[in-house]
Amino acid sequence: DNKIERHLYDVVVIGAGGAGLRAAIEARLAGKRTAIISKSLFGKAHTVMAEGGAAAAMGNANSRDNWMVHFRDTMRGGKFLNNFRMAELHAKEAPERIWELETYGALFDRTKDGKISQRNFGGHEYPRLAHVGDRTGLELIRTLQQKIVSLQQEDFAATGSYDSRIRVFQETTITELMLDGDRVAGAFGYYRETGEFLLFEAPAVVLATGGVGRSYKVTSNSWEYTGDGHALALRAGATLINMEFLQFHPTGMVWPPSVKGILVTESVRGDGGVLRNSDNKRFMFDYVPDVFRKQYAETEEEADRWYADPDNNRRPPELLPRDEVARAINSEVKAGRGSPAGGVFLDVSTRLPAEQIIRRLPSMHHQFKELADVDITKEPMEVGPTCHYVMGGVEVDPDTGAAFGRVQGLFAAGEVSGGMHGSNRLGGNSLSDLLVFGKRAGEHASAYVDTLQVRPRPAKVDVAAAVEVALAPLVRAAASSTGSSADSSTGSSADSSTGSSADSSAAPSADSSAGSSTASSAASSAGSLIAENPYTLQQDLQAVMGDLVGIIRREGELTDALKRLHELRARVANVGATGGRRYNPGWHLALDLRNMLVVSECTARAALEREESRGGHTREDFPAMNPTWRRINLVCSLSFGEVHLEHKPVPAMRAELLALFERSELSKYLTDEELAEVEEQ
Ligand code: FAD
């Protein structure tokens, strides 16, 4: 039946990765009743997959490092499009957030003198990534969870209930935010296992839902990254910025096909691994762009000396920011110098003794042995670009994480938020971002709750509409004729075996709080149309995004992509899922598709609009960076179901931050007009 379980909280955090957990801890510490909601199992998030480490200028490996150097590297990596205030806060606060994790019980790898060890990564001037072997994300999540458990134990001692002040709802998907006027009033969703509905009434919601990678076939992202938070924000009246900037990580596995896209950590290059083409050439020396020429070695000898003597040599070009390395690999493969499986070779076997490889890169050793039968201590890996991270995201106030747009009470942190990384994120800057801005979002969501005189309430009619939208795919499939496309999918037939007992619940039935006519109206609107299969739709969407909005973009293809996304919109509106509400992945995907679609549309629209190449956005027809475009953020909003795109000026950097850069460097990014202003200051 359509019974809805209701919960009352002060702060609801959607997402249980690093950003969500850190926000929830802060909200609970501020005395707020806090819910953490996670689409996947608790502990299973992208954060747990992070291998390389968390960037923080602690200066342990090189005492010259400090927040100003980190700020500079982050701005350079993002090609100066970053929200400078976020980059500043991030660089200043990351060390404190890392040390704080150790007070929660984390234990990072150590230097010989007992300090937190820091490793090299692309685009970071000094070794800066605090790490635990190549399993850093696991330690981060484990520790944040441990902190939550310890808070729950305190609450048990005080109230007799572990869940009284902070509660985790795992395998629970939020499909809609609830509003009261322009104020957040809560969130609506379902338990994935039972398909039963839940309504969270809360005046503040923190989005911490991570990325969008599942709109691409070759991706390092796992199934839950369907851009839900981005889409929830849009539908609630918030805005997204710079969605054209997607990071294609240069090194994903390319063989065997079943694992194509799985990440090969940048630590392999940080620890000495080199890239070679089929002629056995270290080709990255041919791809150092002018803006980075001063900082990177010109010969193999200098690059190799850098590992032992970084103060007197320049870095190897394999450690350029990710966008540069991904484009270089793409060019080598296109020029016919790729590996047999269509990537290039990444070799650490001739660079480090086997024992060191196994100690420093245990997960990579295991991953290649298990998945590809390759022993990375003896032979090179084959790697190629994979869709990895979205720089664009919810437009937020840099200090508080409050979403822009007309909605109040909505906050965002972590990968779902935009601005911090500009056009390209440096490796390691995400884990630190989660901690810095997760904490801030939790703190400011709590402060916002304190300002409210009256608690916003979700409207019955909105709850009814959310129920209708959620049930529609089931109703459509039930209404469409037997043997329809929805019935013939592998996914759907698998679903029906798990969902048979709940088939009856898909039929329209009365709902105590939501309109009882909703489901039947969805059925009649479906009429006799054959419902679309969600798996086919996802494949078609991935083909559009991968082929036409991928790593290298062109005007004609982007226009074509938008046309196809428009066609897909009509098909997604008719998606059906056979089976019932009990653990039905086809139904879950059917609901995720509308999120993937709207977010993909924002990406394609912005990619067509931005007529330059910068960071994670490469236009073959506009191959250079254009200083005029650096002054523009592309802001996406949704109005009556249509995506709108606006130009908005990038905030001008404060004078004392600008002064951290040499004029010769600024001249590579800023317009003449901006440079003249700098000189006047
Ligand atoms: P996530 O950790 O992605 O968590 C998102 C949460 O939201 C999950 O709990 C999910 O279930 C939940 N969710 C999503 N939608 C819904 C919904 N509708 N309803 C309810 N819950 C929902 N970065 C680094 O800095 N260093 C690294 O070494 C590094 N290595 C990486 C390795 C891999 C393989 C990958 C994929 C990424 C890596 N990254 C790394 C990037 C980094 O891990 C992610 O950007 C970061 O973890 C994102 O954290 P988050 O808290 O924003 O979201």
Side-chain angles (χ1 to χ4, degrees):
D1 65 59
N2 293 338
K3 234 177 44 227
I4 300 173
E5 193 178 293
R6 284 171 186 267
H7 297 274
L8 230 63
Y9 283 94
D10 299 321
V11 177
V12 163
V13 178
I14 309 176
L21 297 187
R22 191 60 192 82
I25 289 168
E26 207 58 24
R28 156 63 185 77
L29 290 174
K32 298 290 167 269
R33 270 179 51 80
T34 305
I36 302 170
I37 306 168
S38 155
K39 190 168 168 176
S40 37
L41 286 167
F42 194 47
K44 157 77 186 69
H46 267 158
T47 305
V48 84
M49 294 156 76
E51 293 153 353
M58 295 185 278
N60 293 350
N62 190 322
S63 58
R64 293 191 212 182
D65 203 12
N66 58 46
W67 77 263
M68 290 171 281
V69 188
H70 194 182
F71 171 76
R72 273 203 300 262
D73 288 346
T74 301
M75 294 299 298
R76 282 174 188 143
K79 306 268 163 53
F80 273 64
L81 199 84
N82 318 52
N83 180 305
F84 75 85
R85 176 68 179 153
M86 289 177 94
E88 178 193 7
L89 289 170
H90 168 256
K92 283 181 173 164
E93 294 177 7
E96 211 176 312
R97 295 284 81 78
I98 296 290
W99 285 315
E100 180 181 67
L101 271 189
E102 291 219 331
T103 71
Y104 295 175
L107 191 56
F108 288 96
D109 287 357
R110 287 307 204 248
T111 59
K112 284 201 182 80
D113 53 352
K115 293 178 182 160
I116 293 175
S117 161
Q118 300 193 267
R119 68 156 44 115
N120 282 305
F121 240 52
H124 293 281
E125 190 166 338
Y126 299 117
R128 191 177 280 147
L129 269 67
H131 57 94
V132 183
D134 59 0
R135 297 182 179 131
T136 311
L138 178 63
E139 184 71 349
L140 206 126
I141 280 283
R142 185 191 70 71
T143 313
L144 292 169
Q145 286 186 336
Q146 182 175 320
K147 177 71 180 170
I148 286 168
V149 169
S150 87
L151 288 169
Q152 287 178 320
Q153 283 171 348
E154 278 177 27
D155 294 342
F156 179 75
T159 68
S161 160
Y162 290 106
D163 290 337
S164 56
R165 293 181 185 143
I166 188 164
R167 178 168 170 192
V168 178
F169 296 80
Q170 63 171 350
E171 294 211 87
T172 302
T173 302
I174 293 300
T175 57
E176 220 70 78
L177 295 179
M178 295 286 119
L179 299 179
D180 181 349
D182 287 340
R183 291 186 166 179
V184 161
F188 173 90
Y190 63 90
Y191 287 116
R192 292 170 58 80
E193 195 184 340
T194 60
E196 281 162 18
F197 295 131
L198 303 89
L199 176 67
F200 295 89
E201 292 192 27
V205 166
V206 179
L207 294 172
T209 48
V212 306
R214 276 288 150 179
S215 298
Y216 288 78
K217 186 158 186 275
V218 180
T219 178
S220 65
N221 290 190
S222 63
W223 62 267
E224 61 269 47
Y225 298 100
T226 50
D228 295 2
H230 293 76
L232 289 169
L234 276 179
R235 289 200 292 271
T239 46
L240 305 183
I241 56 166
N242 297 341
M243 290 301 292
E244 65 277 32
F245 296 115
L246 275 172
Q247 182 167 86
F248 292 85
H249 194 292
T251 60
M253 290 180 82
V254 291
W255 181 261
S258 57
V259 300
K260 196 168 177 175
I262 290 187
L263 194 74
V264 179
T265 174
E266 190 168 324
S267 315
V268 177
R269 283 170 289 136
D271 287 356
V274 292
L275 290 164
R276 291 204 178 93
N277 63 18
S278 56
D279 300 334
N280 207 27
K281 181 178 175 191
R282 261 178 90 173
F283 57 85
M284 279 309 301
F285 289 94
D286 298 340
Y287 291 93
V288 182
D290 278 348
V291 283
F292 289 117
R293 205 167 290 284
K294 260 172 80 179
Q295 291 119 354
Y296 287 83
E298 276 164 54
T299 62
E300 289 195 30
E301 294 69 31
E302 183 183 3
D304 286 346
R305 283 197 305 268
W306 175 85
Y307 288 100
D309 182 9
D311 290 344
N312 295 305
N313 294 286
R314 289 172 298 172
R315 317 160 57 74
E318 280 88 0
L319 291 179
L320 275 159
R322 289 174 176 172
D323 53 326
E324 310 291 353
V325 184
R327 270 192 298 271
I329 294 176
N330 200 57
S331 303
E332 286 297 305
V333 174
K334 257 188 148 173
R337 295 187 290 269
S339 67
V344 293
F345 297 104
L346 172 61
D347 182 29
V348 71
S349 67
T350 57
R351 313 273 303 169
L352 290 178
E355 156 279 309
Q356 270 197 47
I357 296 173
I358 294 169
R359 182 165 51 80
R360 298 176 72 102
L361 302 164
S363 303
M364 285 303 105
H365 183 252
H366 181 78
Q367 180 174 312
F368 272 88
K369 196 84 203 95
E370 289 297 310
L371 300 178
D373 198 22
V374 166
D375 182 348
I376 68 168
T377 65
K378 296 202 175 77
E379 48 194 322
M381 302 159 241
E382 280 186 71
V383 296
T386 179
C387 179
H388 184 56
Y389 184 89
V390 59
M391 273 72 69
V394 180
E395 189 185 16
V396 291
D397 174 76
D399 288 75
T400 64
F404 281 13
R406 58 170 194 275
V407 59
Q408 288 173 50
L410 186 62
F411 297 78
E415 189 168 342
V416 70
S417 70
M420 159 66 206
H421 304 286
S423 66
N424 173 52
R425 173 180 71 90
L426 293 185
N429 268 2
S430 175
L431 292 189
S432 39
D433 165 358
L434 312 179
L435 297 171
V436 168
F437 294 104
K439 175 185 186 294
R440 284 181 163 269
E443 182 183 330
H444 290 280
S446 306
Y448 165 80
V449 172
D450 290 337
T451 65
L452 294 174
Q453 309 287 325
V454 185
R455 215 182 143 90
R457 299 291 305 269
K460 268 193 167 181
V461 57
D462 292 340
V463 179
V467 169
E468 176 175 358
V469 170
L471 289 178
L474 298 171
V475 175
R476 256 183 236 117
S480 66
S481 48
T482 325
S484 71
S485 60
D487 289 339
S488 58
S489 78
T490 42
S492 299
S493 51
D495 301 340
S496 51
S497 62
T498 57
S500 56
S501 64
D503 270 358
S504 57
S505 67
S509 62
D511 168 28
S512 50
S513 55
S516 59
S517 63
T518 52
S520 53
S521 70
S524 63
S525 73
S528 59
L529 273 181
I530 293 178
E532 293 274 353
N533 176 333
Y535 295 94
T536 308
L537 285 172
Q538 185 181 21
Q539 277 169 17
D540 291 353
L541 175 68
Q542 289 174 335
V544 172
M545 295 307 284
D547 296 346
L548 306 176
V549 200
I551 185 163
I552 310 286
R553 300 156 178 184
R554 301 159 190 93
E555 182 186 349
E557 290 184 357
L558 291 167
T559 310
D560 192 22
L562 282 166
K563 197 175 125 249
R564 291 183 194 208
L565 289 174
H566 195 76
E567 288 159 11
L568 273 171
R569 211 203 283 182
R571 292 175 59 201
V572 167
N574 187 37
V575 65
T578 53
R581 282 162 64 181
R582 284 195 86 73
Y583 211 95
N584 181 347
W587 178 41
H588 303 164
L589 178 60
L591 295 177
D592 294 343
L593 275 167
R594 70 184 178 132
N595 298 336
M596 296 166 85
L597 191 71
V598 72
V599 172
S600 297
E601 205 175 323
C602 287
T603 298
R605 285 283 299 274
L608 177 61
E609 185 76 4
R610 186 174 287 277
E611 294 184 333
E612 66 159 351
S613 293
R614 182 182 297 274
H617 170 64
T618 304
R619 285 282 297 262
E620 199 177 61
D621 38 359
F622 296 96
M625 269 197 291
N626 176 337
T628 306
W629 271 104
R630 193 207 61 79
R631 306 185 75 175
I632 297 168
N633 281 328
L634 290 178
V635 179
C636 234
S637 59
L638 201 63
S639 171
F640 299 102
E642 292 298 320
V643 167
H644 291 268
L645 200 62
E646 262 178 81
H647 289 206
K648 196 169 165 181
V650 171
M653 205 190 292
R654 290 201 319 276
E656 79 265 24
L657 295 177
L658 268 177
L660 297 175
F661 299 91
E662 285 178 17
R663 190 194 180 281
S664 59
E665 179 163 21
L666 291 177
S667 70
K668 293 170 189 161
Y669 299 101
L670 270 50
T671 59
D672 292 343
E673 192 189 342
E674 286 175 293
L675 280 173
E677 280 169 27
V678 173
E679 263 146 30
E680 265 172 37
Q681 284 164 4

